[in-house]
Amino acid sequence: MEVMAQFQEVLKQSSLHPKPAGLVLQYGTAGFRTNAKQLDHVMFRMGLLATLRSKKTKATIGVMVTASHNPEEDNGVKLIDPMGEMVTPAWEGYATQLANAEQEDMLTALKDIIEKETINMSQEANVFVGRDTRCSSLSLSQAVLDGVTAVGGHSKDYGLVTTPQLHYMVCCQNTEGKYGEATVEGYYNKLSQAFIRLAKNAPNCTDDQKHLCVDGANGIGALKVREMESLLKTELQISIFNDGTKGKLNYQCGADFVKVQQKPPTGILMNTGERCCSFDGDADRIVYYYVDSEEQFHLLDGDKIATLISTFLKELLTQAGLDLKIAVVQTAYANGSSTDYLENTMKVIVRCTKTGVKHLHHAAQEFDIGVYFEANGHGTVLFSKAAEQKIQQLANDPNTDDERKRAALLLQNTVNIINQTVGDAISDMLLIEAILAIKGMTVQQWDAIYTDLPNRQLKVKVLDRRVIDTTDAERRALSPPGLQEAIDTLVKKYRKARSFVRPSGTEDVVRVYTEAETQESADALAHEVSLAVYRLAGGVGDEPKSLH
Ligand code: 16G
Ligand code: MG
């Protein structure tokens, strides 16, 4: 189609997806996210934008319709770049501009992007679209597809998939199959084969140890685990709870609920000491937990997962005699005990970045092996090309002795089981299960590697959260004046204490984090820091109340 005619078509189609006048939304930490009723125009426009991005990069782009762990009535959209990573920041800016242009200015906003990025409109474009199980997701993903078509792009609708599956398939498509086949079956086959090969190294694993309870958050993860279950054969027996047949999405269940509330989800039947895990609503986060004989709940969050995985990898590197630099990337939310254990006992490099997967992902790329996890359970492992080659060479070298060969093969299958594009609950679960089986480790032994410092997270409502400016990976506040000094003074009152505050990237609040030697201290400090934020950063509503 000729360019002018194409713009006419965009205008015509766009009028079928009108923007409510005055509505302003931000492409936040992980895409747009708000009540589903406000998103039709955003979806159509993200279809347009993804097509432009595809023309620009001459590669397939992904669009995932999901609001992750938000309530059922919300929805959202995440854009995926060619290598399966999150869309580059400059284009997040375009996304915000395009989504907020009033109906009559939409075409101008679109043309602006085309001009700034010197996009050749006759270039072919291809967009992969996926969605989660929310009721609103079907029609919203149709709006994305309409956007792609309106600007002359090709699309492939994958229907119901997890967010990490779509990331994976975009990467496969753009690497001509080198990463795997760009189908859901291809994903299941690659991961399950690697899992079964790893599980072969745990011949003494009992049936009890092979059992896992999964809380699917009543979302897409439950559906997808069910689809791949049979491929895991007898190596892993999964009982799926909160599979979406009865309960409501993310309601009193799922990884975010379990992490924030520090208690088991409803809808799960767990025996004493039994290993359980929870996914979030789009299956890109996972946390583990169990309840002991005194009914005490034990959470194994992203920090514990990062420790388990990096210990396993480090041991294999030693056995294989491979000199590869391994690092763990965390955020300020990482429990102080985990950082201490990683740095001082395991002696691995630890890096701290700002909150948000893209920051961790980026930092992890700087090492041969970068293990990154947020405490909330989002994370994965990245292997550099050189690291993958060295592992491969060693595994294929006929002169490698038995012990080194075994380690190299284990490393090779570990590479294959991991979804390197983004944190992936299913892939992380399979890796963790394989590690526990190979090491003959119970969930209690894993938990005992180090003891978490008691901690507390609170939120404070302020007039404008942007008055808080942070530095040092969000660990120190630069403004408003006096806030950091106030926090420093309060922290000094408690043993082993630490605290930081940061404006949320997904909610209109300031977040407060504290940790200390006892829960009472962590709670008292959290209250005092909240008060300081309230007083110095323009708190609204009632003063924060004490927790006890
Ligand atoms: C988003 C981020 C997550 C981060 C969270 C912080 C991605 C895919 N997700 O969910 O990594 O921990 O935001 O939220 O980047 P907050 O800024 O509201 O604390
Ligand atoms: Mg998620």
Side-chain angles (χ1 to χ4, degrees):
M1 206 188 293
E2 191 226 323
V3 175
M4 282 306 287
Q6 197 158 60
F7 285 142
Q8 281 312 311
E9 182 63 16
V10 170
L11 262 189
K12 196 171 123 206
Q13 294 297 323
S14 167
S15 66
L16 302 174
H17 301 278
K19 173 184 179 294
L23 179 66
V24 178
L25 299 168
Q26 281 286 326
Y27 193 98
T29 319
F32 292 101
R33 225 180 268 186
T34 186
N35 189 289
K37 294 203 179 84
Q38 300 185 316
L39 281 169
D40 184 64
H41 70 291
V42 175
M43 296 294 169
F44 174 79
R45 293 171 185 201
M46 289 309 107
L48 298 177
L49 190 70
T51 312
L52 296 191
R53 180 80 185 140
S54 173
K55 288 178 189 286
K56 169 83 191 186
T57 57
K58 302 190 174 68
T60 296
I61 295 297
V63 182
M64 181 70 194
V65 176
T66 181
S68 186
H69 57 273
N70 282 39
E72 159 76 36
E73 50 287 6
D74 285 359
N75 218 322
V77 58
K78 299 177 176 179
L79 298 176
I80 305 167
D81 252 3
M83 294 311 288
E85 72 278 38
M86 301 198 174
V87 76
T88 192
W91 282 68
E92 291 185 359
Y94 295 148
T96 302
Q97 283 160 23
L98 191 60
N100 291 329
E102 295 303 335
Q103 200 57 30
E104 61 276 17
D105 305 327
M106 203 283 299
L107 200 54
T108 314
L110 191 75
K111 286 180 179 169
D112 257 9
I113 302 168
I114 295 170
E115 203 169 295
K116 272 198 196 122
E117 292 289 329
T118 53
I119 291 165
N120 172 7
M121 289 304 283
S122 54
Q123 173 70 41
E124 293 255 313
N126 196 29
V127 178
F128 283 180
V129 181
R131 63 179 149 92
D132 72 10
T133 55
R134 289 176 157 80
C135 336
S136 58
S137 292
L138 180 59
S139 72
L140 290 176
S141 72
Q142 190 53 53
V144 175
L145 294 164
D146 290 352
V148 177
T149 312
V151 73
H154 301 285
S155 59
K156 179 162 178 171
D157 181 8
Y158 279 91
L160 291 166
V161 285
T162 70
T163 297
Q165 283 177 334
L166 194 66
H167 281 258
Y168 175 89
M169 291 186 290
V170 168
C171 177
C172 290
Q173 181 70 15
N174 291 319
T175 49
E176 280 135 25
K178 281 199 202 83
Y179 196 58
E181 203 190 299
T183 62
V184 179
E185 292 70 34
Y187 168 95
Y188 293 143
N189 288 334
K190 182 176 173 187
L191 268 62
S192 60
Q193 277 166 21
F195 177 76
I196 288 178
R197 292 202 180 113
L198 286 172
K200 286 219 169 80
N201 292 273
N204 302 326
C205 201
T206 63
D207 279 354
D208 258 8
Q209 284 165 328
K210 287 182 186 170
H211 185 254
L212 173 69
C213 296
V214 177
D215 155 27
N218 289 314
I220 185 70
L223 257 66
K224 298 294 143 176
V225 167
R226 191 142 279 156
E227 282 177 11
M228 91 177 297
E229 227 177 349
S230 66
L231 296 172
L232 304 172
K233 309 238 171 72
T234 53
E235 298 303 332
L236 183 62
Q237 277 129 32
I238 301 176
S239 302
I240 306 175
F241 298 92
N242 297 326
D243 64 354
T245 50
K246 293 189 290 284
K248 209 164 134 185
L249 178 71
N250 296 327
Y251 181 67
Q252 297 196 331
C253 62
D256 197 62
F257 172 86
V258 172
K259 168 75 183 160
V260 175
Q261 303 293 324
Q262 311 222 5
K263 64 181 185 201
T266 54
I268 192 166
L269 272 175
M270 50 197 287
N271 299 315
T272 303
E274 201 168 22
R275 199 166 68 246
C276 306
C277 66
S278 285
F279 293 2
D280 75 335
D282 63 341
D284 64 357
R285 286 193 198 177
I286 185 169
V287 295
Y288 271 71
Y289 46 92
Y290 68 95
V291 173
D292 68 20
S293 54
E294 270 133 46
E295 299 279 306
Q296 184 82 30
F297 175 75
H298 296 259
L299 177 70
L300 295 95
D301 62 2
D303 304 337
K304 285 253 154 105
I305 296 173
T307 307
L308 181 74
I309 296 175
S310 49
T311 307
F312 178 70
L313 290 172
K314 200 168 175 226
E315 285 166 3
L316 289 181
L317 289 178
T318 309
Q319 287 163 20
L322 280 173
D323 182 22
L324 294 173
K325 199 182 250 180
I326 180 166
V328 177
V329 183
Q330 308 184 309
T331 71
Y333 288 106
N335 196 279
S337 294
S338 75
T339 314
D340 183 56
Y341 179 83
L342 289 165
E343 278 180 334
N344 300 320
T345 308
M346 266 188 64
K347 307 216 182 296
V348 293
I349 305 164
V350 180
R351 287 277 181 281
C352 184
T353 71
K354 281 162 70 170
T355 301
V357 172
K358 56 185 170 239
H359 302 296
L360 290 105
H361 191 92
H362 194 72
Q365 282 171 329
E366 284 169 27
F367 301 90
D368 296 322
I369 302 179
V371 180
Y372 74 81
F373 267 89
E374 289 194 311
N376 63 27
H378 186 117
T380 187
V381 186
L382 305 185
F383 294 85
S384 70
K385 276 281 145 291
E388 283 191 14
Q389 272 162 12
K390 280 188 184 169
I391 292 168
Q392 202 107 29
Q393 257 166 23
L394 190 65
N396 298 335
D397 184 349
N399 298 321
T400 312
D401 66 51
D402 285 356
E403 194 204 339
R404 291 185 70 198
K405 184 145 198 131
R406 176 181 180 270
L409 287 170
L410 282 171
L411 281 167
Q412 202 172 36
N413 285 309
T414 304
V415 172
N416 285 332
I417 210 169
I418 289 168
N419 183 348
Q420 294 190 51
T421 62
V422 78
D424 181 336
I426 295 180
S427 143
D428 290 341
M429 172 188 82
L430 293 176
L431 176 60
I432 293 164
E433 291 301 309
I435 295 176
L436 294 176
I438 293 167
K439 289 171 86 70
M441 205 180 213
T442 63
V443 68
Q444 290 78 9
Q445 288 166 331
W446 169 22
D447 191 30
I449 294 181
Y450 65 82
T451 308
D452 275 323
L453 279 171
N455 55 85
R456 179 63 64 194
Q457 284 190 53
L458 293 178
K459 36 189 178 182
V460 184
K461 269 217 162 292
V462 298
L463 210 53
D464 181 1
R465 68 191 197 279
R466 287 171 303 182
V467 301
I468 304 224
D469 188 17
T470 65
T471 182
D472 189 20
E474 304 179 317
R475 288 174 291 192
R476 295 190 67 77
L478 291 170
S479 72
L483 180 60
Q484 188 56 49
E485 290 73 14
I487 296 173
D488 289 342
T489 309
L490 294 167
V491 164
K492 281 201 196 100
K493 289 168 51 183
Y494 303 96
R495 287 161 62 92
K496 294 195 183 165
R498 184 169 73 89
S499 176
F500 67 89
V501 301
R502 53 176 283 279
S504 159
T506 65
E507 237 188 296
D508 190 13
V509 295
V510 176
R511 300 208 190 276
V512 171
Y513 176 88
T514 63
E515 64 185 32
E517 195 172 40
T518 64
Q519 191 64 55
E520 290 68 34
S521 306
D523 288 352
L525 180 59
H527 174 237
E528 290 161 359
V529 172
S530 300
L531 272 179
V533 171
Y534 182 89
R535 288 177 189 151
L536 296 166
V540 293
D542 292 338
E543 267 199 359
K545 292 204 175 50
S546 157
L547 289 156
H548 294 287

